[in-house]
Amino acid sequence: MRPQRPAAAHGFLEDLQAWVTASFLFAFSMAIVASAGLLSGGTSGIALLGHYATGIPFGRVLFVANVPFYLLAVGKLGWRFTRRTFLAVALVSGFSELMPRVVRFGALDPLFAAVVGGLIAGIALLILLRHGSSLGGVGVLALYLHDRLGWRVGVVQLFIDAVILGAAFAVASPGRVALSIVGMCAFNLTIAVNHRSERYVVAAA
């Protein structure tokens, strides 16, 4: 059996390139989802609900919706992770403002949008996690509630996503909500299958 090499730390320029790439991909995935009138889970789902209900651009709602979670992130995950997460969310918000100017979907099948949007969002989050960042939001809240009250992280996130889907009926048809669930499954499967810290080795084989 080959001995596993220790993971090498990423340099700042490598991290920066990853943050920009992942943020662009996530903003693109949300443009796909929004163009089909679908929802996603977590804070991005909250931002999409706000966008549909008010007409305020998704990127702006996402940035504001994340603000309360930064306070929790500092205590739970430290300043370094919080700064990186703030940068990632700011980049996603900026790219989301740009998307309507450079991307237009003439014909987009909703099922395709749900699956591809979920897959791309999952890939984007994987990149961020592997470079010491995240998209903040309800994941931080779930960790906080786990520490304070002993609630399981997965159960908290599932409950929040269920609330988001329940609220979605006010702005989307039942069919769109069902397709949104498909997209959430694609996103979560991407994370579940690929996010294994013990498998991630930066050094080349």
Side-chain angles (χ1 to χ4, degrees):
M1 181 177 176
R2 260 179 96 182
Q4 190 180 50
R5 297 182 183 182
H10 291 292
F12 174 74
L13 290 180
E14 292 173 321
D15 284 337
L16 182 61
Q17 184 272 339
W19 299 333
V20 172
T21 300
S23 299
F24 179 85
L25 287 175
F26 193 84
F28 181 63
S29 74
M30 291 300 103
I32 294 174
V33 170
S35 292
L38 305 178
L39 272 296
S40 65
T43 315
S44 59
I46 296 172
L48 282 170
L49 279 174
H51 166 63
Y52 294 147
T54 67
I56 298 173
F58 166 79
R60 300 178 199 177
V61 182
L62 178 69
F63 186 83
V64 173
N66 264 287
V67 169
F69 298 111
Y70 295 130
L71 301 176
L72 294 178
V74 170
K76 175 62 187 171
L77 301 169
W79 275 107
R80 183 172 183 268
F81 188 86
T82 303
R83 287 196 303 267
R84 290 169 172 234
T85 296
F86 179 86
L87 174 61
V89 174
L91 285 170
V92 169
S93 298
F95 284 133
S96 295
E97 292 285 314
L98 176 66
M99 285 296 162
R101 305 178 187 179
V102 297
V103 177
R104 290 177 178 81
F105 300 98
L108 186 62
D109 181 80
L111 178 59
F112 177 85
V115 174
V116 173
L119 292 176
I120 295 176
I123 292 168
L125 184 57
L126 282 170
I127 295 173
L128 288 173
L129 291 173
R130 289 183 173 182
H131 286 266
S133 183
S134 77
L135 290 171
V138 299
V140 175
L141 176 61
L143 289 171
Y144 174 80
L145 291 175
H146 173 73
D147 281 354
R148 291 295 299 268
L149 303 175
W151 296 357
R152 295 181 63 179
V153 171
V155 173
V156 173
Q157 291 183 308
L158 181 62
F159 174 77
I160 293 173
D161 284 347
V163 171
I164 292 171
L165 286 172
F169 284 101
V171 296
S173 67
R176 300 286 173 173
V177 175
L179 287 172
S180 298
I181 295 173
V182 172
M184 290 181 188
C185 290
F187 171 80
N188 287 310
L189 278 174
T190 302
I191 300 298
V193 171
N194 293 283
H195 185 51
R196 295 287 190 278
S197 58
E198 68 275 10
R199 295 179 186 172
Y200 180 51
V201 179
V202 179

